[in-house]
Amino acid sequence: MPRRRITQADVAAMAGVSQATVSFVLNDSNPSGVRISEETRQRVLDAIRITGYSANPAAQRLAGGLTQILGVFTYEATFPQGGRDFYGPFLVGIEHAAEKLGVDILLFTSARVEDGRRRLTREGWQRLGVADGCLLLGQQEDRGELQHLLDTNYPFVFIGKRGSDGGRLPYVGVDYATATSRQVERLAALGHTRIGYVGPRGTDQPTLDRVEGYRLTMKQRGLTARFVELDDVAAAATEIGDQRFTAIVVAPENSPEELADALEHRGLRVPVDVSVLLLGQPHRPRPGGRRWSGFSIPREEMGARALYLLSRLVTADAGQAGSRAAAQVPDDELRQLLECVDVDGATLAPCPPEPTGSHDRTEPA
């Protein structure tokens, strides 16, 4: 037979006190006019230990207490699939921060992934109430859901830079624009003037920031920005004259190993003939593959910093009503951008000399 759930009434009976006293001890509170002696408090704690009582998290939150549980919700499937482990480093950082804070992490996975995206709607809102606050991450977020969380003053932090009406959305992201700008400068310092951008032109924030960093730096350098599709890179690199690329910056999700293979199939060596810098490290590195130059994204630090920020918002929410909670955290901490770290790698070289004629670039038979 299943064991009956121990209740506060059971703890109160064993300790010889009222249920209200048990609740006050659990929440570590002393309401005005109520005095709980150390002896009584210890009796309650002993009864909790002996009975193995565990408070109902949802009920405890409804009563105004904190569960010491922080949630994690991802808009895409979380665990590695086909060798891809994009979320893994985030979760490692979150776990390390949780250990230091002394809180538990609850991963919300019950919402089904449909068309590559999860939704918080319907039962999702109630499930979030089990946790004191929640971390959100993923590329396929629903802006309406984020606005709902803001409007209801539920503590949350997005991992990754995000915009919102009035700039109220708290996040911990990375400065893709500055990091991308540095890669263009690295190439320009080695004499490259024909630098192409390879990657999607989507509307997600990381893509927008990368494109902005590339476009602005090329303009400041007096160079022409040129965007090229992945399938056209090898052909563009073998053109003659001013149209030929000598370097490209590449969004890492665009299979850089296959791209380099296509270049070498046309007789172009990386980096002797074409330098390649990745705007982030590969999602699926090839075993024994190239050591890519570019920058890396501090995913573990992002996860840890996001959890620390969420903990501060939860603490502020417990002591302040509604929208005043975020006011306890300075603006520069509510919206944090971390620096990416440049990687030397082995795919960056000085600009090659101009070919003397079209015979210098021939495709293999």
Side-chain angles (χ1 to χ4, degrees), residues 1 16 26 45 49 57 83 93 113 133 135 142 153 193 206 212 257 263-264 276 283 323 327:
M1 294 291 293
L26 283 170
L45 293 175
R49 177 177 55 79
V113 178
L135 296 179
D142 186 298
N153 299 310
T193 58
E212 178 188 18
E257 291 286 355
L263 288 172
E264 294 186 349
V276 179
H283 294 173
S323 60

Side-chain angles (χ1 to χ4, degrees), residues 32-97:
S32 178
V34 176
R35 182 179 179 278
I36 301 176
S37 68
E38 285 303 317
E39 179 185 355
T40 300
R41 185 180 299 277
Q42 189 58 52
R43 251 194 353 263
V44 172
L45 293 175
D46 289 342
I48 291 172
R49 177 177 55 79
I50 292 170
T51 59
Y53 171 75
S54 177
N56 184 312
Q60 191 174 9
R61 178 165 179 81
L62 289 172
L66 296 178
T67 67
Q68 300 301 311
I69 297 174
L70 298 178
V72 177
F73 180 89
T74 64
Y75 281 94
E76 293 92 32
T78 308
F79 296 105
Q81 294 182 341
R84 181 183 181 187
D85 191 9
F86 180 78
Y87 288 124
F90 292 120
L91 298 175
V92 169
I94 291 169
E95 183 179 33
H96 288 168

Side-chain angles (χ1 to χ4, degrees), residues 117-139:
R117 306 200 298 185
R118 285 195 177 102
R119 287 289 178 268
L120 281 169
T121 50
R122 297 182 181 177
E123 298 86 354
W125 301 121
Q126 294 180 349
R127 288 192 175 94
L128 286 188
V130 175
D132 296 324
C134 192
L135 296 179
L136 306 177
L137 67 163
Q139 296 294 335

Side-chain angles (χ1 to χ4, degrees), residues 24-289:
F24 294 150
V25 172
L26 283 170
N27 294 319
D28 195 23
S29 61
N30 286 300
S32 178
V34 176
R35 182 179 179 278
I36 301 176
S37 68
E38 285 303 317
E39 179 185 355
T40 300
R41 185 180 299 277
Q42 189 58 52
R43 251 194 353 263
V44 172
L45 293 175
D46 289 342
I48 291 172
R49 177 177 55 79
I50 292 170
T51 59
Y53 171 75
S54 177
N56 184 312
Q60 191 174 9
R61 178 165 179 81
L62 289 172
L66 296 178
T67 67
Q68 300 301 311
I69 297 174
L70 298 178
V72 177
F73 180 89
T74 64
Y75 281 94
E76 293 92 32
T78 308
F79 296 105
Q81 294 182 341
R84 181 183 181 187
D85 191 9
F86 180 78
Y87 288 124
F90 292 120
L91 298 175
V92 169
I94 291 169
E95 183 179 33
H96 288 168
E99 290 176 355
K100 292 183 179 180
L101 290 171
V103 299
D104 290 311
I105 296 299
L106 176 62
L107 185 63
F108 292 99
T109 58
S110 60
R112 288 188 297 179
V113 178
E114 298 178 358
D115 297 326
R117 306 200 298 185
R118 285 195 177 102
R119 287 289 178 268
L120 281 169
T121 50
R122 297 182 181 177
E123 298 86 354
W125 301 121
Q126 294 180 349
R127 288 192 175 94
L128 286 188
V130 175
D132 296 324
C134 192
L135 296 179
L136 306 177
L137 67 163
Q139 296 294 335
Q140 305 294 333
E141 77 275 7
D142 186 298
R143 293 301 179 94
E145 291 182 352
L146 299 185
Q147 193 61 47
H148 177 79
L149 293 175
L150 287 170
D151 293 341
T152 55
N153 299 310
Y154 179 81
F156 77 98
V157 173
F158 210 103
I159 299 181
K161 179 184 174 183
R162 290 297 184 277
S164 67
D165 293 340
R168 296 187 297 141
L169 194 155
Y171 62 76
V172 175
V174 293
D175 191 350
Y176 280 111
T178 299
T180 300
S181 175
R182 282 203 312 271
Q183 306 320 301
V184 176
E185 294 288 359
R186 291 173 72 182
L187 290 166
L190 291 174
H192 293 277
T193 58
R194 295 189 293 278
I195 305 167
Y197 182 100
V198 180
R201 302 291 299 279
T203 59
D204 60 283
Q205 196 64 54
T207 295
L208 293 175
D209 289 347
R210 286 170 175 148
V211 169
E212 178 188 18
Y214 166 74
R215 192 195 302 275
L216 289 179
T217 309
M218 293 291 284
K219 182 178 180 180
Q220 291 168 357
R221 281 275 183 173
L223 305 176
T224 301
R226 185 176 173 188
F227 297 90
V228 61
E229 298 294 331
L230 181 64
D231 294 341
D232 298 333
V233 172
T238 54
E239 292 179 358
I240 301 301
D242 292 342
Q243 298 301 312
R244 186 176 73 87
F245 288 125
T246 63
I248 51 177
V249 292
V250 183
E253 55 268 24
N254 284 276
S255 305
E257 291 286 355
E258 286 78 1
L259 185 151
D261 291 344
L263 288 172
E264 294 186 349
H265 182 71
R266 293 216 176 201
L268 295 168
R269 297 161 295 171
V270 176
V272 177
D273 300 306
V274 180
S275 288
V276 179
L277 268 64
L278 298 192
L279 307 179
Q281 292 301 291
H283 294 173
R284 299 179 183 179
R286 178 188 292 176

